[in-house]
Amino acid sequence: MRNSAASSVPLLTDRYEYTMVEAALADGTASRQCVFEVFARRLPSGRRYGVVAGVGRLIERLADFGFDSDDIEYLRNSGTVDDNMARWLESYRFTGDIDGYPEGELFFPGSPILTVTGTFAECVLLETLVLSILNHDSAIAAAAARMVTAARGRPIIEMGSRRTHEDAAVAASRASYLAGFSTTSNLAAGQRYDIPTAGTAAHAFTLLHSDEKAAFASQVARLGTNTTLLVDTYDISQGIRNAIEVAGPSLRAIRIDSGDLHVMAQQSRELLDSLGALDTAIVVSGDLDEYSIAALAAAPVDLYGAGTAVVTGSGAPTAGLVFKLVEVEGRPVVKRSENKATVGGRKTAVRRHKPTGTVIEEVIALQTTPELGAHDRRLQRALVRGGDPVEDLPTLDESRAHLRDALIAIPWEGLKLSPGDPAVPVTIMN
Amino acid sequence: MRNSAASSVPLLTDRYEYTMVEAALADGTASRQCVFEVFARRLPSGRRYGVVAGVGRLIERLADFGFDSDDIEYLRNSGTVDDNMARWLESYRFTGDIDGYPEGELFFPGSPILTVTGTFAECVLLETLVLSILNHDSAIAAAAARMVTAARGRPIIEMGSRRTHEDAAVAASRASYLAGFSTTSNLAAGQRYDIPTAGTAAHAFTLLHSDEKAAFASQVARLGTNTTLLVDTYDISQGIRNAIEVAGPSLRAIRIDSGDLHVMAQQSRELLDSLGALDTAIVVSGDLDEYSIAALAAAPVDLYGAGTAVVTGSGAPTAGLVFKLVEVEGRPVVKRSENKATVGGRKTAVRRHKPTGTVIEEVIALQTTPELGAHDRRLQRALVRGGDPVEDLPTLDESRAHLRDALIAIPWEGLKLSPGDPAVPVTIMN
């Protein structure tokens, strides 16, 4: 058993990928040139768009996709691989190419968001890692993007770490920030991805002290009045009075984490104003999702805190992306069994826009490259060449801007929260 | 920014925990003796029990909850902590006690599944990590346990790694195995937790070859006839004929991953029998959850493969556990704001059984220890003392047996898949 903290990257993989490679090495098919594509057969029920997220994380982890002696020993001792394959794994390194939609791009059913090219053996081992990262991060980003739309320009802090796996939480912070959240509570995400972090105090801090005023005084003594006081441990109105008494009317913000947030925000605003705290902001949190955020549009709220709903994808915890072999030695291949028909052959995707910038459709061409009109845009970019990341991959902030622009360009119905069809039709051009 | 693969454990934490400690260090309350408890206010909608999972992982990660110079530098540079707290963190180590329900124990609304005792500053820093691990793993284990019940003794392989975050996948495999799954496809889970792994081939392996028979022949050449052939890449009936033609009637199993699984299993069984493959097992997979598994009870299925539903908690991706301060210096404390009333004071939990072994109720005593009758069982055990794990913590296999026994002991209605009330009433004894 492995005792170190982190799992070995190449073992974050389904056993059958190794079994297939072992048989393919023995029969000579392992070296066949293949094209694998990642796409979604459908969007989560009622969703109008998907968001590509996780590409940067994938490229980061790909660099660690190599085998140490512990890995090889485990694979041999568990009967997963034989001696021949063990030797092959010792020098394994992905040397193929990866192309894909940039992070922050939108996708629709059938969009070929990632294309992995290389030998069968090299590519197939990446399947689970590719899907785990893209399915998780894209699910979070799509949910987060809907919340950002619902918030209509008001900032949102991501604070859901405690409601998901501890490492998934870091990726969820990253995906939420990509989608337009302003900050995260997660310090590891701050450390790894340079995302601004936020947070001041929980109810425990108030309970620790002899009374609420003592807790507020302590917090203000350390953090100054440019802080957020949590006012709902006991009685909210009294909490607000205590907050302003201790911090004065220049207090930056109060936070409310319980009750009918619409009513509470309204009453709190009136009370703050009556106390002269005209600029003290109101932060609300407590099981907020895109619908409850939208319902607070008319409430005097300045900042939302979102947790459980965003880190669990708000009803769609996985993006439903699949990784399929579509070409072998230049020949399109396709599985023909019931209900899961896919289209064979390497695909090229173009998004066509009106002169105004609004998207008309996404066109997918099979084994050809469609002509580009004046308002068309190729969706796929080179990401990895010969196993190495290309230069100048977009930064997280660039991906964030990309998504913001992409959402502006889709027909306006696409931004509705209600269930509907995909916002952009996808046409397959034979 | 941190470049290494794994996040620093103490930064898998919400920023406000550090902010609170900083203020508490300055005002002298940081050293107050506190008791924090982890519990669920309610079960996910309609669920009849919760399953405690992740305790072993928590204790493992707690050993790495210490700060290196990069962490301290990040916390200072990001303005999270001041010099005084940075010095305090340099020597931070949790030296308190942790008690809790053992892994594999059932819980109900209000069950005090984990109790963390120590100074405020030491304990509060653990909040996010504790909740992330227990919320994730308990959600997966509860979903998996329902699937195991639905499978009525037939084995289930966990194969959902690709539908969740790559590291969460390893924890999900562990939680599923804890809940009674027989194997996992995830090799990292095999390596870390000694869980048996399984898997043979995907559709890509068939598509790679010139035809289905060539693919089957290659697989059988490497793995022998004690393998599972995936027969639904093209036509299932022809696939079964090809499988038996290539492997002979001693083939261990076929797998069907698409179509109406009930009909397909029935037809496949008849065809296999007609070909003399009387002992060839039938494995089915494809978006199975507890309900579809239950619906296959009468179908001639020998093994289920479960993926998306189990790793996403089958509709309940997080367990809803909270971490609350309940005692300060021996004094019960409680938050009084609307809708989130909790009970203050350290709790002791006992489960009372009939002489037959069936559970009658769970009794929770406040700041006292209830008397134990002949058929009563204390639910909490020492897990950590003075910051170190106690000796003889249960193994994963022991926790698996514990859950199996616990599920046998609840009233039979508790095992129904339909929505219902918690299977065991929880009584608070003042």
Side-chain angles (χ1 to χ4, degrees):
Chain A
M1 279 190 273
R2 190 181 182 89
N3 289 313
S4 67
S7 294
S8 166
V9 173
L11 297 194
L12 297 170
T13 297
D14 292 311
R15 178 171 171 141
Y16 75 1
E17 290 162 22
Y18 288 85
T19 317
M20 288 190 278
V21 172
E22 185 179 305
L25 285 171
D27 75 14
T29 56
S31 60
R32 289 189 178 169
Q33 281 293 311
C34 289
V35 179
F36 289 85
E37 283 179 349
V38 174
F39 60 94
R41 293 196 182 91
R42 66 196 75 82
L43 297 175
S45 179
R47 291 284 181 88
R48 296 166 186 252
Y49 60 83
V51 174
V52 176
V55 179
R57 288 213 308 116
L58 172 62
I59 289 171
E60 193 181 296
R61 298 215 80 163
L62 199 57
D64 293 323
F65 204 111
F67 297 81
D68 64 23
S69 55
D70 282 354
D71 299 334
I72 304 272
E73 192 188 335
Y74 168 71
L75 291 170
R76 288 176 64 148
N77 291 347
S78 62
T80 308
V81 307
D82 62 9
D83 292 353
N84 181 42
M85 178 151 174
R87 275 190 300 275
W88 183 82
L89 289 176
E90 279 168 14
S91 60
Y92 175 86
R93 180 179 163 267
F94 178 69
T95 63
D97 295 342
I98 303 180
D99 297 79
Y101 287 31
E103 262 195 289
E105 188 56 85
L106 302 179
F107 69 87
F108 303 95
S111 296
I113 71 168
L114 204 82
T115 307
V116 181
T117 312
T119 66
F120 176 78
E122 277 191 16
C123 296
V124 80
L125 286 187
L126 305 185
E127 174 175 26
T128 310
L129 184 69
V130 165
L131 288 178
S132 290
I133 292 176
L134 298 184
N135 268 324
H136 175 267
D137 291 15
S138 299
I140 308 305
R146 285 160 56 87
M147 293 181 198
V148 170
T149 297
R152 296 166 169 261
R154 290 174 179 169
I156 315 179
I157 172 175
E158 184 280 308
M159 41 191 274
S161 297
R162 63 191 55 196
R163 299 304 178 91
T164 186
H165 181 279
E166 68 276 18
D167 292 305
V170 186
S173 294
R174 182 182 180 280
S176 306
Y177 183 72
L178 167 72
F181 276 41
S182 59
T183 49
T184 179
S185 65
N186 189 291
L187 289 167
Q191 186 184 37
R192 291 175 74 90
Y193 303 116
D194 216 11
I195 300 171
T197 61
T200 52
H203 298 107
F205 189 73
T206 299
L207 295 173
L208 170 70
H209 288 80
S210 52
D211 58 37
E212 193 174 51
K213 273 199 256 187
F216 290 172
S218 169
Q219 187 179 326
V220 169
R222 285 302 316 145
L223 301 171
T225 59
N226 187 25
T227 191
T228 302
L229 294 174
L230 178 62
V231 296
D232 71 342
T233 304
Y234 305 110
D235 175 82
I236 294 182
S237 296
Q238 189 56 50
I240 290 172
R241 290 177 195 283
N242 288 341
I244 301 302
E245 188 182 325
V246 167
S250 65
L251 174 65
R252 190 185 57 178
I254 60 157
R255 177 160 77 99
I256 307 169
D257 186 50
S258 54
D260 179 324
L261 294 175
H262 200 293
V263 172
M264 290 299 153
Q266 196 68 53
Q267 291 179 354
S268 299
R269 183 74 270 156
E270 287 164 15
L271 181 54
L272 285 168
D273 289 351
S274 77
L275 296 169
L278 301 173
D279 294 327
T280 299
I282 297 177
V283 183
V284 298
S285 57
D287 287 333
L288 292 179
D289 62 13
E290 60 269 49
Y291 306 105
S292 50
I293 289 172
L296 287 165
V301 169
D302 300 284
L303 192 149
Y304 300 101
T308 307
V310 67
V311 301
T312 60
S314 198
T318 187
L321 297 166
V322 296
F323 181 97
K324 293 294 167 189
L325 178 60
V326 296
E327 240 180 75
V328 179
E329 301 282 13
R331 169 181 57 92
V333 295
V334 67
K335 177 163 153 282
R336 286 288 176 208
S337 54
E338 214 175 336
N339 287 337
K340 288 193 180 174
T342 57
V343 182
R346 183 192 190 100
K347 294 164 203 72
T348 305
V350 166
R351 205 164 284 164
R352 302 201 191 279
H353 300 75
K354 295 181 191 173
T356 56
T358 304
V359 178
I360 303 166
E361 63 173 351
E362 187 166 315
V363 176
I364 296 175
L366 300 177
Q367 296 192 299
T368 63
T369 305
E371 277 178 45
L372 281 189
H375 305 291
D376 298 347
R377 190 159 63 82
R378 276 200 63 156
L379 293 165
Q380 293 141 311
R381 298 183 190 178
L383 300 170
V384 170
R385 283 293 172 266
D388 294 317
V390 301
E391 308 259 309
D392 297 325
L393 285 167
T395 65
L396 184 56
D397 280 314
E398 287 165 352
S399 299
R400 195 167 186 249
H402 188 99
L403 175 59
R404 194 174 54 228
D405 293 344
L407 283 170
I408 291 171
I410 58 171
W412 69 269
E413 300 90 351
L415 298 180
K416 289 169 76 173
L417 298 180
S418 58
D421 291 329
V424 170
V426 176
T427 310
I428 295 187
M429 202 176 82
N430 276 290
Chain B
M1 282 188 271
R2 190 180 183 89
N3 290 312
S4 67
S7 296
S8 166
V9 173
L11 296 194
L12 296 169
T13 296
D14 292 310
R15 178 172 171 141
Y16 75 1
E17 290 160 22
Y18 288 85
T19 317
M20 288 189 279
V21 171
E22 185 178 305
L25 285 170
D27 75 13
T29 56
S31 60
R32 289 187 179 169
Q33 281 293 312
C34 289
V35 179
F36 288 86
E37 283 179 350
V38 174
F39 60 94
R41 293 195 181 92
R42 66 195 74 83
L43 297 176
S45 178
R47 291 284 180 87
R48 295 167 185 251
Y49 59 84
V51 175
V52 176
V55 179
R57 289 213 308 119
L58 172 62
I59 290 171
E60 194 182 293
R61 297 214 81 163
L62 200 56
D64 293 323
F65 205 111
F67 297 81
D68 65 23
S69 55
D70 282 353
D71 299 335
I72 304 272
E73 193 188 336
Y74 168 71
L75 291 170
R76 289 177 64 148
N77 290 347
S78 61
T80 308
V81 308
D82 62 10
D83 293 352
N84 182 42
M85 179 151 175
R87 277 190 298 276
W88 184 82
L89 289 176
E90 278 167 15
S91 60
Y92 175 86
R93 182 178 161 267
F94 178 70
T95 63
D97 294 342
I98 303 180
D99 298 78
Y101 287 32
E103 260 195 290
E105 188 55 88
L106 301 180
F107 69 87
F108 303 96
S111 296
I113 71 167
L114 203 82
T115 307
V116 181
T117 312
T119 66
F120 176 78
E122 276 191 17
C123 296
V124 80
L125 286 187
L126 304 185
E127 174 176 26
T128 310
L129 185 70
V130 165
L131 288 178
S132 291
I133 292 176
L134 298 184
N135 269 324
H136 175 268
D137 291 15
S138 299
I140 308 303
R146 285 161 55 89
M147 294 181 198
V148 170
T149 297
R152 297 166 169 260
R154 291 175 179 168
I156 315 179
I157 172 174
E158 184 280 308
M159 42 190 274
S161 297
R162 63 190 57 194
R163 300 303 178 92
T164 186
H165 181 279
E166 69 275 17
D167 293 305
V170 185
S173 293
R174 182 183 181 279
S176 306
Y177 183 73
L178 167 73
F181 276 41
S182 59
T183 48
T184 179
S185 65
N186 188 292
L187 290 167
Q191 187 184 35
R192 290 175 75 92
Y193 302 117
D194 217 9
I195 300 171
T197 61
T200 53
H203 298 107
F205 189 72
T206 299
L207 294 173
L208 172 69
H209 288 80
S210 53
D211 59 36
E212 193 174 51
K213 273 198 257 186
F216 289 173
S218 169
Q219 188 179 326
V220 169
R222 283 304 316 145
L223 301 170
T225 58
N226 187 25
T227 191
T228 302
L229 293 174
L230 178 61
V231 295
D232 71 341
T233 303
Y234 304 109
D235 175 83
I236 295 182
S237 296
Q238 188 57 49
I240 291 173
R241 289 178 197 281
N242 288 341
I244 300 305
E245 189 183 323
V246 167
S250 66
L251 174 66
R252 190 185 58 180
I254 59 157
R255 177 159 78 98
I256 307 170
D257 186 49
S258 54
D260 179 324
L261 294 175
H262 200 292
V263 172
M264 291 298 153
Q266 197 67 52
Q267 291 179 354
S268 299
R269 183 73 270 155
E270 287 163 16
L271 180 55
L272 285 168
D273 289 351
S274 77
L275 296 169
L278 301 172
D279 295 328
T280 300
I282 297 176
V283 182
V284 298
S285 56
D287 288 333
L288 292 178
D289 62 13
E290 60 269 49
Y291 305 105
S292 49
I293 290 172
L296 287 165
V301 169
D302 301 284
L303 193 149
Y304 300 101
T308 307
V310 67
V311 302
T312 60
S314 199
T318 188
L321 296 166
V322 296
F323 181 97
K324 292 294 167 190
L325 178 60
V326 297
E327 241 181 73
V328 179
E329 300 282 11
R331 167 181 59 91
V333 295
V334 67
K335 176 163 154 283
R336 286 288 177 210
S337 54
E338 214 176 333
N339 287 336
K340 289 192 180 174
T342 58
V343 181
R346 184 191 188 101
K347 293 160 205 77
T348 305
V350 166
R351 205 165 283 165
R352 301 202 192 280
H353 301 75
K354 295 181 189 172
T356 57
T358 303
V359 177
I360 303 167
E361 63 172 351
E362 187 167 315
V363 176
I364 295 175
L366 299 176
Q367 296 191 299
T368 64
T369 304
E371 277 178 47
L372 280 188
H375 305 289
D376 298 348
R377 188 161 65 82
R378 276 200 64 156
L379 292 166
Q380 292 141 311
R381 300 184 188 176
L383 300 171
V384 170
R385 283 294 172 266
D388 294 317
V390 301
E391 308 259 310
D392 296 326
L393 285 169
T395 65
L396 185 56
D397 280 314
E398 287 165 353
S399 299
R400 197 167 185 249
H402 188 100
L403 175 58
R404 195 175 51 226
D405 293 345
L407 283 170
I408 291 170
I410 58 171
W412 69 270
E413 300 90 352
L415 298 181
K416 290 169 75 172
L417 299 180
S418 57
D421 291 329
V424 170
V426 175
T427 310
I428 295 187
M429 202 176 81
N430 276 291

